[in-house]
């Protein structure tokens, strides 16, 4: 239980960025470890700079430390230089708060926000001194837990992680604490009994409690091993975000990290229904934070952290009902204080958004980013990102005319039904955007960022056969040729990494051994291009006798049991299938907040409702509805009269 | 300094313990946030991206500790310099403590330009981390200081550069523990026209004298920065600062700790850091 600091500190002079390992952030908790407390090590399986800002991890860190029966610390993946030093001396993974050994904790909980971190998860369990495969662990070992978006297909890690949390963790971490806390008192001998009990907590999936039968390459059946273990694990959802104003003490790191600013989450969920977007599908329904709470969290957060930037985060921040009022108030609040800047990531594409942006950014208008995602209207109907060319050009015109010089556009390629005309369409849009810019400035430029599409579980595209490496490269080549000699600059994501992500994202239990082989072959930090090598993945697939194309580029059938069918985000499989069929017909589906319910299943099955602060669509919010509802119209949602308008 | 009257202030601070692993740039960012948290009446630069007017002294290499770091900042109105150190320290990471604040002359030259030397206490061990033999460091340092040139190889912008650190060394005093073993030394190193890190000086001495077992730093603490002017040596909190009457409280004990600067006749608002060597006046 003692601190490893005296043994770790002498190593820090030899490694890059030693401050990654010291903790000491403003907002860091002082965990009190008592024998009767359940101790949690919350691990982000990538570098400190990537992991520290993760809001999910910070929220659970606070909630657990507020409990009298729990204590939580944090750890991040040590960079390769420190890991070599640690392993050379037999030192384990440690927490950054009090530098305790990872294996001294009762629970080691991983945040899974991307599939390519899976090999790091195995590596960190191993570095902790805990057996990598869950079947090799005994009563002396910590429980290895995982949560986050990638837990919605837990099967690739089913042989490695003891239990997964599906959905939002605010409430369930307390329930897990109680079960784990009762375990030592029961003699701490029967690990199976503990796992069995964890499996009865709603939202907790324990893979060892389920048997999977195959029929050739296909799954025949996934069967719970006990009568009290649910056949399907439903996600957890916090009904009212207003009851969870976390993080209350956002961590302020001493070194620069990504998203290095105050982050205030304004809502969860998204009902725009973009068919490629797993986050939008699995976090339904929309739950807005009360406007007044947003103001308070911003005001107090800035005071406490000393940050001079705040971001209002969500999947589509311009859709927040009170966005224009909140922005106006924040801008007024901050006048004359030496400049606090406000950023709104994930903005939708329209002139209203640019209006908001210009309200915020009075000076230094350099770059503005939009995500039309696809190059033609037909393609955007397929993916249900219902932005018209007029929407985009109006937004871009507004941006350039108000002084922005650089516009960045995000696109996906390798989408269902995509033909070369759609790919070239990206170039056409970009060229037109540059032309608009030239009317306002000689320096106007446009960057096009293209990612290869990876179909994700629990989305309408979960049946779609992903484009292979050659096909994605061909399309990127087409796009580069089509933009040659223009002021549109194309950047793209490595098609090989996209392919490996495809293996992991829709993998089944058999992919676990592939991940283990990739890790054992040295494949860590797979999100980092300098450490990624597709050959390791293909070799591992071959060694396991698995066909990578069967997992990646194959279209799935209607009747096929998908590896994650026993996990649910509340979306009916029929709804997803019908939406998939509609997409193939290029039928768009407007935002369900402002149109009749499509019965996706989430609200009805979970007795939840969209929680919004206003009964009408947000100002200027025509996008995704096909009609301007901002002047009125009724919303098929429960309207919480939180802003004094009554319901 | 345009605009209305400004109130420049010089702060002395420490960097002790775990926090020594953050970089100079990180320290600067921590101060910027602390100054905002304490809502000090900061003066800002003009232009599109206004920054608070804060200027730091010589960078302390990452991993080294210090009791003598300095920064100058400009305020638009006067603040109570007695309570300022504790207030800012509250908002800083533990180990970085502001231990003194003095009102600065409006036309004070930049810290970077006026500091002429820095003083360090370096704990020295053999390359493998074992203690040095009795008298080993004393004789090695004596030999080295007789040499006209002390070359060391440094990595600069991805290239290896050979530099002579002999001109940088002002003095080196070796210290022994109660059993007579050489354990550490005090180094005073010039900063003008260029400086060297204590670690580079140690490496140069080890390589020039070919001492068996080599030399390595096991802990480095900056104890002073000196401004040599008109034959006197001043710590920066005594140089270019305005006379004022003040009693600085010892931050840790809460007892008065008045120190008279014999050179300038002013009282410097400086208190001890926990475990640190107290500030001293140069003579």
């Amino acid at each position: 239980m003692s601190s490893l600091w005296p043994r770790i500190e002498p190593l820090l002079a030899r490694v890059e960025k030693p401050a990654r390992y010291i903790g000491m952030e403003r907002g860091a908790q002082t965990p009190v470890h008592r024998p009767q407390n359940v101790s949690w090590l919350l691990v982000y399986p990538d570098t400190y700079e990537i992991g520290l800002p993760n809001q999910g991890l910070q929220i659970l860190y606070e909630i657990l430390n507020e409990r009298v029966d729990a204590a939580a610390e944090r750890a991040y993946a040590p960079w390769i230089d420190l890991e070599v030093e640690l392993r050379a001396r037999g030192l384990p993974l440690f927490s950054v708060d009090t530098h305790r050994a990872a294996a001294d904790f009762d629970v080691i909980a991983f945040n899974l926000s991307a599939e390519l971190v899976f090999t790091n998860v195995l590596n960190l369990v191993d570095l902790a001194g805990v057996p990598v495969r869950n079947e090799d662990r005994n009563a002396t070992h910590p429980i290895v837990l995982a949560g986050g978006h990638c837990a919605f297909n837990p099967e690739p890690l089913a042989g490695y992680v003891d239990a997964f949390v599906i959905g939002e963790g605010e409430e369930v971490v307390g329930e897990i604490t109680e079960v784990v806390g009762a375990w030592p008192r029961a003699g701490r001998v029967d690990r199976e009994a503990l796992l069995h009990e964890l499996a009865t907590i709603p939202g907790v999936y324990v893979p060892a409690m389920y048997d999977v039968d195959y029929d050739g390459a296909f799954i025949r059946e996934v069967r719970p091993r006990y009568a009290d273990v649910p056949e399907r694990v439903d996600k957890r959802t916090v009904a009212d975000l207003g009851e969870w104003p976390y993080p209350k003490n956002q961590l302020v790191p001493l070194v620069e990290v990504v998203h290095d600013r105050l982050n205030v989450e304004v809502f969860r969920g998204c009902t725009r229904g973009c068919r490629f977007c797993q986050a939008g599908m699995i976090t339904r329904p929309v739950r807005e934070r009360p406007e007044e709470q947003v103001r308070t969290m911003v005001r107090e957060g800035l005071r406490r952290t000393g940050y001079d930037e705040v971001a209002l985060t969500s999947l589509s921040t311009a859709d927040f009902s009170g966005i224009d009022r909140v922005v106006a108030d924040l801008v007024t609040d901050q006048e004359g204080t030496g400049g606090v800047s406000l950023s709104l990531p994930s903005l939708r594409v329209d002139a209203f958004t640019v209006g908001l942006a210009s309200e915020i950014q009075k000076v230094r208008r350099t770059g503005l980013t939009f995500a039309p995602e696809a190059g033609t209207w037909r393609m955007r109907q397929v993916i249900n990102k219902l932005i018209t060319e007029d929407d985009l050009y109006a937004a871009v015109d507004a941006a350039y005319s108000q002084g922005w010089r650089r516009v960045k556009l995000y696109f996906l390629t390798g989408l269902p039904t995509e033909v070369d005309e759609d790919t070239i369409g990206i170039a056409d849009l970009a060229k037109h955007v540059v032309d608009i810019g030239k009317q306002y400035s000689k320096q106007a430029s446009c960057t096009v960022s293209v990612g290869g599409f990876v179909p994700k579980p629990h989305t309408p595209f979960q049946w779609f056969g992903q484009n292979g490496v050659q096909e994605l490269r061909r399309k990127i080549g087409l796009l580069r040729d089509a933009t040659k000699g223009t002021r549109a600059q194309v950047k793209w994501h490595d098609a090989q990494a996209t392919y490996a992500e495809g293996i992991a994202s829709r993998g089944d239990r058999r992919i676990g051994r592939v991940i283990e082989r990739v890790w054992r072959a040295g494949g860590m930090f797979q999100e980092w291009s300098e450490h990624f090598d597709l050959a390791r993945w293909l070799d591992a697939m071959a060694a396991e006798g698995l066909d990578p194309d069967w997992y990646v580029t194959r279209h799935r059938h209607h009747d096929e049991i998908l590896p994650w069918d026993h996990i649910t985000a509340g979306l009916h499989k029929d709804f997803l299938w019908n939406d998939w069929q509609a997409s193939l017909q290029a039928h768009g589906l407007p935002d369900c907040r402002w149109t009749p319910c499509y019965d996706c299943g989430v609200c009805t099955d979970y007795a939840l409702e969209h929680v919004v602060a206003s009964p009408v669509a947000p100002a200027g919010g025509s996008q995704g509805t096909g009609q301007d509802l901002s002047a009125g119209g009724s919303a098929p949602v429960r309207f919480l009269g939180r802003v004094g308008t009554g319901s | 300094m345009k605009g209305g009257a400004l109130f420049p202030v010089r702060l002395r601070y420490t960097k002790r313990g775990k926090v020594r692993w953050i970089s100079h740039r990180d320290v600067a960012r921590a101060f910027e946030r602390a100054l905002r948290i304490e809502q000090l009446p900061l003066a800002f630069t003009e232009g599109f991206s206004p920054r608070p007017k804060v200027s730091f002294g010589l960078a302390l290499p990452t991993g080294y500790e210090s009791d003598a770091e300095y920064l100058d900042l400009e305020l638009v109105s006067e603040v109570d310099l007695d309570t300022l150190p504790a207030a800012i320290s509250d908002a800083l990471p533990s180990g970085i403590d502001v231990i003194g604040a003095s009102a600065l002359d409006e036309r004070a030259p930049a810290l970077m330009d006026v500091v002429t030397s820095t003083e360090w206490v370096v704990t020295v061990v053999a390359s493998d981390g074992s203690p040095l033999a009795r008298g080993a460091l004393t004789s090695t340092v004596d030999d080295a200081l007789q040499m006209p040139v002390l070359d060391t190889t440094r990595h600069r912008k991805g290239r290896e550069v050979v530099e002579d650190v002999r001109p940088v060394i002002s003095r080196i005093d070796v210290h022994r523990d109660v059993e007579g073993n050489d354990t550490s030394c005090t180094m005073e190193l010039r900063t003008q026209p260029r400086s060297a890190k204590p670690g580079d000086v140690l490496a140069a001495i080890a390589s020039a004298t070919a001492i068996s077992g080599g030399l390595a730093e096991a802990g480095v603490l900056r104890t002073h920065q000196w401004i040599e002017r008109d034959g006197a040596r001043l710590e920066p909190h005594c140089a270019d600062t305005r006379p004022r009457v003040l009693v600085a409280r010892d931050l840790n004990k809460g007892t008065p700790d008045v120190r008279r600067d014999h050179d300038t006749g002013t009282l410097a608002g400086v208190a001890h850091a926990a475990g640190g060597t107290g500030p001293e006046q140069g003579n």
Side-chain angles (χ1 to χ4, degrees):
Chain A
M1 298 282 181
S2 60
S3 169
L4 294 171
W5 177 251
R7 298 174 69 195
I8 292 162
E9 185 167 32
L11 310 178
L12 296 187
R14 307 160 189 246
V15 303
E16 261 179 57
K17 302 185 188 169
R20 285 166 166 168
Y21 310 109
I22 65 172
M24 302 183 71
E25 305 87 351
R26 191 172 180 80
Q29 310 274 324
T30 315
V32 183
H33 294 285
R34 296 191 202 90
Q36 69 274 22
N37 277 6
V38 173
S39 55
W40 288 68
L41 182 64
L42 305 173
V43 190
Y44 193 93
D46 207 317
T47 62
Y48 181 85
E49 300 91 287
I50 310 282
L52 181 116
N54 185 275
Q55 296 291 291
L57 195 147
Q58 292 198 24
I59 290 168
L60 300 184
Y61 176 64
E62 286 189 14
I63 288 176
L64 285 166
N65 279 317
E66 282 176 8
R67 293 182 66 96
V68 291
D69 59 352
E73 302 199 27
R74 297 163 294 129
Y76 307 89
W79 190 242
I80 289 156
D81 54 358
L82 181 63
E83 186 185 331
V84 167
E85 302 280 349
L86 292 173
R87 287 193 185 269
R89 287 161 184 78
L91 288 168
L93 175 70
F94 56 86
S95 69
V96 297
D97 297 282
T98 68
H99 298 92
R100 275 162 59 106
D104 285 349
F105 288 81
D106 297 315
V107 178
I108 303 180
F110 288 94
N111 176 304
L112 304 177
S113 36
E115 291 85 357
L116 289 181
V117 304
F118 288 174
T119 59
N120 275 19
V121 171
L122 270 55
N123 187 50
L124 294 172
V125 170
D126 182 65
L127 187 60
V130 173
V132 171
R133 296 187 183 182
N134 50 21
E135 65 201 18
D136 297 331
R137 292 175 203 142
N138 61 36
T140 66
H141 296 119
I143 296 298
V144 176
L145 216 68
H149 286 187
C150 292
F152 277 85
N153 177 18
E155 292 304 86
L157 292 180
Y160 304 88
V161 168
D162 295 311
F164 293 87
V165 166
I166 311 300
E168 295 166 5
E170 279 90 345
E171 295 165 335
V172 74
V173 290
E175 296 158 31
I176 293 171
T177 297
E178 282 161 22
V179 168
V180 175
W183 187 40
R185 288 193 284 279
R188 195 172 172 154
V189 283
D190 191 352
R191 193 176 175 91
E192 170 91 2
L194 173 63
L195 293 176
H196 185 167
E197 198 173 347
L198 286 172
T200 63
I201 300 175
V204 176
Y205 171 62
V206 179
M209 297 294 122
Y210 296 81
D211 290 322
V212 180
D213 291 339
Y214 297 93
D215 179 2
F218 294 92
I219 295 168
R220 183 191 294 132
E221 193 187 15
V222 178
R223 201 176 43 246
R225 291 176 47 210
Y226 300 96
D228 59 348
V229 171
E231 277 180 31
R232 264 188 4 175
V233 178
D234 280 283
K235 72 165 177 181
R236 293 296 289 264
T237 304
V238 167
D240 185 354
L241 206 55
E243 290 175 9
W244 300 93
Y246 292 89
K248 293 172 178 167
N249 292 290
Q250 189 187 305
L251 295 166
V252 186
L254 294 169
V255 290
E256 276 183 281
V257 300
V258 301
H259 312 309
D260 201 355
R261 60 193 179 204
L262 179 70
N263 293 294
V264 175
E265 185 183 32
V266 294
F267 68 87
R268 281 189 199 165
C270 180
T271 44
R272 293 209 165 259
C274 301
R275 291 172 175 134
F276 56 88
C277 179
Q278 188 191 38
M281 292 289 164
I282 64 176
T283 61
R284 293 176 174 202
V286 169
R287 287 145 296 145
E288 294 192 347
R289 193 180 291 291
E291 229 177 279
E292 200 42 48
Q293 192 176 62
V294 171
R295 289 191 183 87
T296 310
M297 286 176 77
V298 169
R299 204 174 297 129
E300 290 178 1
L302 288 172
R303 276 250 25 208
R304 204 186 48 250
T305 59
Y307 270 127
D308 62 353
E309 183 182 352
V310 54
L312 302 181
T313 65
S314 73
L315 292 171
S316 179
T317 295
D319 286 346
F320 182 64
S321 300
I323 190 66
D324 37 359
R325 290 185 297 275
V326 169
V327 164
D329 289 356
L330 292 180
V331 170
T332 318
D333 251 22
Q334 297 306 330
E335 266 165 22
T337 60
V340 167
S341 59
L342 178 61
S343 58
L344 307 178
S346 313
L347 282 178
R348 59 168 200 256
V349 186
D350 57 26
F352 168 73
T353 296
V354 177
L356 269 184
S358 65
E359 176 82 12
I360 293 161
Q361 209 155 7
K362 305 274 189 207
V363 292
R364 256 197 304 172
R365 289 178 180 169
T366 49
L368 210 55
T369 301
F370 298 109
E373 307 289 2
T376 57
W377 173 241
R378 187 199 68 82
M379 191 78 257
R380 288 191 297 275
Q381 286 178 300
V382 169
I383 64 173
N384 208 40
K385 182 100 186 188
L386 302 176
I387 298 160
T388 63
E389 287 182 17
D390 289 346
D391 286 332
L392 175 64
Y393 296 148
V396 166
D397 192 277
Y400 284 123
S401 70
Q402 294 178 44
W404 274 279
R405 291 293 164 258
R406 266 200 331 267
V407 165
K408 192 171 180 185
L409 302 176
Y410 276 113
F411 292 96
L412 288 168
T413 189
L415 292 163
T417 78
E418 187 177 76
V419 292
D420 290 354
E421 190 192 333
D422 299 308
T423 309
I424 309 277
I426 296 175
D428 293 339
L429 282 186
K431 282 187 274 191
H432 196 106
V433 164
V434 171
D435 287 341
I436 294 173
K438 279 183 187 160
Q439 297 169 19
Y440 298 101
S441 165
K442 283 195 171 110
Q443 287 101 47
S445 70
C446 171
T447 306
V448 172
S449 181
V450 188
F453 172 59
V454 179
K456 293 290 159 91
H458 308 283
T459 68
F461 289 168
Q462 64 182 350
W463 290 277
F464 171 63
Q466 184 178 328
N467 282 189
V469 173
Q470 297 315 317
E471 178 65 357
L472 279 182
R473 286 186 170 161
R474 189 186 67 80
K475 286 176 175 173
I476 290 162
L478 274 181
L479 186 55
R480 290 175 63 196
D481 289 345
T483 50
K484 252 185 202 132
T486 73
R487 216 176 290 154
Q489 193 200 353
V490 181
K491 293 179 178 171
W492 62 94
H493 192 67
D494 176 18
Q496 294 198 332
T498 304
Y499 190 85
E501 188 183 328
I503 293 174
S505 99
R506 289 188 296 170
D508 52 28
R509 291 193 174 190
R510 291 166 293 194
I511 293 299
R513 292 294 181 263
V514 173
I515 291 163
E516 184 179 334
R517 282 180 185 275
V518 172
W519 163 59
R520 291 199 188 278
M524 276 137 4
F525 289 104
Q526 296 294 282
E527 292 227 290
W528 298 69
S529 54
E530 68 264 41
H531 292 290
F532 177 79
D533 183 358
L534 183 60
R536 283 200 195 96
W537 290 83
L538 298 180
D539 290 351
M541 290 295 282
E544 291 295 321
L546 299 172
D547 171 15
D549 279 345
W550 189 84
Y551 283 92
V552 180
T553 61
R554 181 178 62 92
H555 292 291
R556 272 66 166 167
H557 309 127
H558 176 263
D559 299 330
E560 196 173 330
I561 294 176
L562 301 171
W564 52 90
D565 275 353
H566 56 299
I567 305 295
T568 172
L571 300 149
H572 292 159
K573 201 173 176 185
D574 283 350
F575 165 79
L576 292 175
W577 178 263
N578 290 338
D579 204 32
W580 166 228
Q581 297 306 305
S583 85
L584 295 174
Q585 308 298 319
H587 282 156
L589 201 62
D591 189 323
C592 69
R593 266 173 301 178
W594 326 114
T595 53
C597 175
Y598 308 120
D599 195 18
C600 72
V602 179
C603 296
T604 44
D605 285 14
Y606 294 155
L608 290 166
E609 291 168 273
H610 295 302
V611 178
V612 296
S614 163
V616 295
S622 66
Q623 177 198 315
T625 64
Q627 51 186 312
D628 186 2
L629 292 170
S630 62
S634 64
V637 295
R638 181 167 64 112
F639 163 48
L640 290 190
R642 281 206 185 96
V643 288
T645 29
S647 58
Chain B
M1 293 184 201
K2 37 188 158 177
L6 292 174
F7 301 88
V9 173
R10 178 163 290 173
L11 302 181
R12 177 172 174 162
Y13 64 95
T14 65
K15 191 185 183 195
R16 286 283 208 152
K18 280 184 194 176
V19 81
R20 74 176 198 256
W21 296 108
I22 73 173
S23 69
H24 184 64
R25 209 174 117 72
D26 296 332
V27 172
R29 294 177 339 113
F31 264 100
E32 275 196 29
R33 289 191 301 263
L35 298 173
R36 277 195 295 266
I37 289 167
E38 291 308 317
Q39 298 186 311
L40 291 179
L42 297 171
F44 283 86
T45 59
E46 309 279 323
F48 278 144
S49 85
R51 308 301 310 166
K53 292 190 176 180
V54 178
S55 55
F56 283 81
L58 298 165
L60 180 71
T62 305
Y64 287 179
E65 293 183 290
S66 178
D67 285 336
E69 296 305 291
Y70 289 94
L71 72 83
D72 294 344
L73 63 98
E74 290 184 33
L75 304 175
V76 292
S77 60
E78 240 173 320
V79 298
D80 181 355
L81 294 181
D82 290 348
T83 55
L84 189 63
I88 300 177
S89 299
D90 277 349
L92 284 167
S94 127
I96 301 183
D97 289 305
V98 177
I99 53 170
S102 358
L104 194 62
D105 288 345
E106 284 213 29
R107 262 172 266 283
L111 280 162
M112 295 274 234
D113 300 331
V114 288
V115 170
T116 48
S117 69
T118 53
E119 196 170 317
W120 308 80
V121 174
V122 185
T123 307
V124 187
V125 291
S127 294
D128 64 359
S130 61
L132 295 176
R134 174 186 289 260
L137 187 58
T138 309
S139 59
T140 305
V141 167
D142 285 348
D143 291 350
L145 293 182
Q146 300 302 314
M147 298 180 181
V149 171
L150 286 172
D151 277 341
T152 189
T153 309
R154 288 212 274 182
H155 294 275
R156 191 169 273 180
K157 289 175 187 160
R159 291 190 308 124
E160 288 202 340
V161 193
V162 176
E163 275 184 12
D164 176 16
V165 300
R166 184 62 190 86
V168 172
I169 304 172
S170 178
R171 70 184 164 93
I172 301 179
D173 304 326
V174 176
H175 308 299
R176 296 181 169 180
D177 64 12
V178 284
E179 284 157 17
N181 296 315
D182 293 349
T183 52
S184 64
C185 62
T186 297
M187 288 185 188
E188 188 177 339
L189 304 178
R190 296 185 186 95
T191 58
Q192 312 279 4
R194 59 184 182 80
S195 63
K197 294 187 212 174
D200 292 331
V201 172
L202 216 52
I205 292 172
S207 116
T209 59
I211 178 175
S212 76
L215 297 174
E217 61 192 32
V220 181
L221 172 71
R222 176 140 78 188
T223 52
H224 299 282
Q225 300 196 29
W226 297 117
I227 296 171
E228 199 160 327
R229 185 181 290 169
D230 308 326
R233 278 198 327 177
L234 307 172
E235 274 274 6
H237 64 261
C238 307
D240 305 313
T241 51
R242 283 182 285 175
R244 68 194 186 94
V245 178
L246 81 91
V247 176
R249 280 174 301 109
D250 184 310
L251 289 177
N252 299 295
K253 296 181 199 128
T255 51
D257 176 33
V258 184
R259 285 177 174 266
R260 180 162 289 275
D261 184 325
H262 300 290
D263 291 315
T264 61
T266 60
L267 290 166
V270 172
H272 288 294
T277 50
E280 292 157 24
Q281 313 312 322
N283 293 304

